[in-house]
């Protein structure tokens, strides 16, 4: 039994496609281990739907932190920014 649990950080980048976005976030929310944070970078999505979904989750759970890139950049840069 741990008296001090480590914080686990997950990083995710998203761009337009929402097919797995909700599933991925819900998967984290339903874990037994609760000491985690999720950093999500929206890679300048052209659709507002992903940002709307992310905003709702961020408002629901303070462990979910979102940010938005001003321009679409390659995965390497978005991962660094998250």
């Amino acid at each position: 039994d741990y008296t001090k649990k480590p914080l686990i950080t997950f990083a995710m980048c998203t761009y337009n496609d929402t097919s797995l976005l909700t599933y991925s976030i819900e998967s984290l929310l339903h874990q037994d281990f609760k000491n985690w944070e999720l950093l999500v970078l929206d890679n300048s999505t052209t659709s507002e739907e992903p940002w709307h979904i992310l905003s709702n989750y961020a408002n629901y759970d303070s462990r979910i932190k979102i940010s938005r890139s001003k321009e679409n950049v390659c995965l390497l840069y978005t991962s660094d920014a998250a």
Side-chain angles (χ1 to χ4, degrees):
D1 186 38
Y2 292 100
T3 57
K4 186 175 181 182
K5 294 182 180 178
L7 174 67
I8 305 296
T9 301
F10 297 93
M12 179 190 323
C13 300
T14 185
Y15 179 77
N16 287 342
D17 187 12
T18 60
S19 62
L20 294 176
L21 185 58
T22 300
Y23 177 81
S24 299
I25 296 171
E26 286 292 328
S27 175
L28 276 176
L29 289 172
H30 289 92
Q31 295 298 312
D32 290 333
F33 185 83
K34 302 295 183 193
N35 200 23
W36 56 262
E37 67 179 350
L38 174 63
L39 310 177
V40 185
L41 179 67
D42 178 275
N43 194 8
S44 191
T45 296
T46 58
S47 165
E48 286 300 312
E49 185 180 8
W51 187 251
H52 178 70
I53 292 169
L54 292 171
S55 296
N56 284 338
Y57 276 111
N59 288 330
Y60 171 75
D61 193 311
S62 63
R63 298 173 295 177
I64 300 171
K65 297 165 180 65
I66 59 174
S67 61
R68 209 174 207 178
S69 177
K70 292 181 182 179
E71 61 182 302
N72 186 286
V73 293
C74 77
L75 184 58
L76 175 64
Y77 295 116
T78 57
S79 298
D80 286 345

